[in-house]
Amino acid sequence: MRFIDTIDGLDDIFSTDIPKGSVILITGVPGSLKSGITFSILSKYLENVGEFGTYITLEQSKDNHLANMKSMGLELSDNLSISDFSDYRLQYDEFSGDLLTLIETNILQYKQKMGDKFTCVALDSLGALYSLLDVEPRDMRKRLYHLFEPLRRENLTTFMILETSESLGLNHANNFENYLADGIIELGLHMKDNTTNRYIQVKKMRASEHSMDPFILTVSDEGLKVYRGNIF
């Protein structure tokens, strides 16, 4: 199974798969299904290929996250572990520099334990991580580089979730993560004729052939679904 086979219609956007070992930025406004699409891709992919991965949550508890996923018809694969760091947020507010190291260590220890069968990581979210790091904006790019590069060297396909505001989108001043990432998948909301649609648009994906057009993203009885439609 390919990553693009995990969500119905996602293969209409891509001609070739999301390259393994890439760092992918999943970005969008609140309510655009960033966590849902990331969780769905990882859980279904890992279940079908017999590999393992971890989903790191900094904002929701494990139980709340899984309840939210279940409400969209998304089930947790036994091959995807949920690493709940939400309880660490208050603890590490005064020692925030250690949190990034802790996350990296957690991932690399899991990689050492599982070996080549450990292939995927998700971090939900970069915004929560930024709020905990006592780092000047000019130093943030360097810190992210030192997080991303070990994951690339370990050939881990990594999905990083980043929430943006409606007004800023991907054009905010500190968009250094866009340059560091190998791929950018933007999710959003668009109102037309008094109807609001969610959309998915691949803005960037190195070493992959894909459409640049926006596609409609919906929640069906069987999970998420992507299809072409007249959005804008």
Side-chain angles (χ1 to χ4, degrees):
M1 170 175 274
R2 301 172 299 174
F3 290 112
I4 62 173
D5 298 325
T6 56
I7 294 175
D8 188 15
L10 191 60
D11 58 351
D12 289 334
I13 298 178
F14 288 89
S15 299
T16 56
D17 199 16
I18 296 171
K20 294 182 178 180
S22 299
V23 174
I24 310 300
L25 188 66
I26 307 291
T27 186
V29 298
S32 56
L33 300 179
K34 299 179 296 298
S35 297
I37 199 167
T38 303
F39 180 89
S40 184
I41 289 174
L42 263 63
S43 196
K44 290 185 179 180
Y45 173 79
L46 294 170
E47 181 71 22
N48 282 277
V49 299
E51 297 172 1
F52 298 89
T54 186
Y55 189 109
I56 299 170
T57 173
L58 291 170
E59 298 186 283
Q60 286 186 307
S61 69
K62 178 179 178 178
D63 289 343
N64 287 340
H65 177 75
L66 291 179
N68 185 35
M69 296 301 104
K70 190 173 183 178
S71 71
M72 293 186 282
L74 306 177
E75 297 294 336
L76 175 66
S77 166
D78 290 338
N79 293 2
L80 180 63
S81 69
I82 306 296
S83 297
D84 183 356
F85 279 80
S86 61
D87 289 340
Y88 285 83
R89 294 188 66 175
L90 290 177
Q91 284 181 264
Y92 280 87
D93 192 40
E94 297 180 2
F95 306 100
S96 56
D98 292 334
L99 180 58
L100 193 59
T101 301
L102 183 63
I103 291 172
E104 181 182 341
T105 300
N106 177 270
I107 294 171
L108 295 181
Q109 284 180 344
Y110 199 13
K111 173 69 175 181
Q112 185 177 20
K113 176 182 177 181
M114 303 303 295
D116 292 340
K117 286 289 187 179
F118 179 61
T119 61
C120 296
V121 173
L123 178 62
D124 190 355
S125 67
L126 280 177
L129 183 62
Y130 293 166
S131 71
L132 295 170
L133 291 179
D134 186 19
V135 178
E136 293 293 330
R138 64 177 178 272
D139 296 325
M140 187 64 74
R141 180 168 181 164
K142 182 184 296 184
R143 296 297 301 274
L144 278 186
Y145 175 82
H146 286 290
L147 174 62
F148 290 172
E149 279 309 300
L151 304 182
R152 286 193 180 100
R153 287 198 299 269
E154 296 292 341
N155 199 34
L156 295 171
T157 306
T158 305
F159 295 84
M160 299 281 181
I161 295 173
L162 177 64
E163 187 165 288
T164 60
S165 70
E166 192 78 55
S167 60
L168 294 177
L170 285 175
N171 297 315
H172 57 95
N174 298 321
N175 61 350
F176 41 77
E177 60 274 319
N178 300 328
Y179 299 103
L180 293 174
D182 301 299
I184 302 172
I185 299 177
E186 179 183 303
L187 308 181
L189 306 174
H190 183 73
M191 178 174 283
K192 180 180 180 181
D193 300 329
N194 296 320
T195 299
T196 301
N197 287 315
R198 292 185 176 97
Y199 70 85
I200 175 173
Q201 187 172 16
V202 179
K203 293 294 189 75
K204 166 185 170 182
M205 192 66 64
R206 292 170 180 160
S208 177
E209 296 179 16
H210 62 87
S211 172
M212 296 284 289
D213 297 333
F215 283 65
I216 293 176
L217 175 63
T218 62
V219 180
S220 70
D221 293 338
E222 300 178 351
L224 304 184
K225 181 180 177 64
V226 173
Y227 63 94
R228 186 181 292 276
N230 187 15
I231 301 173
F232 299 118

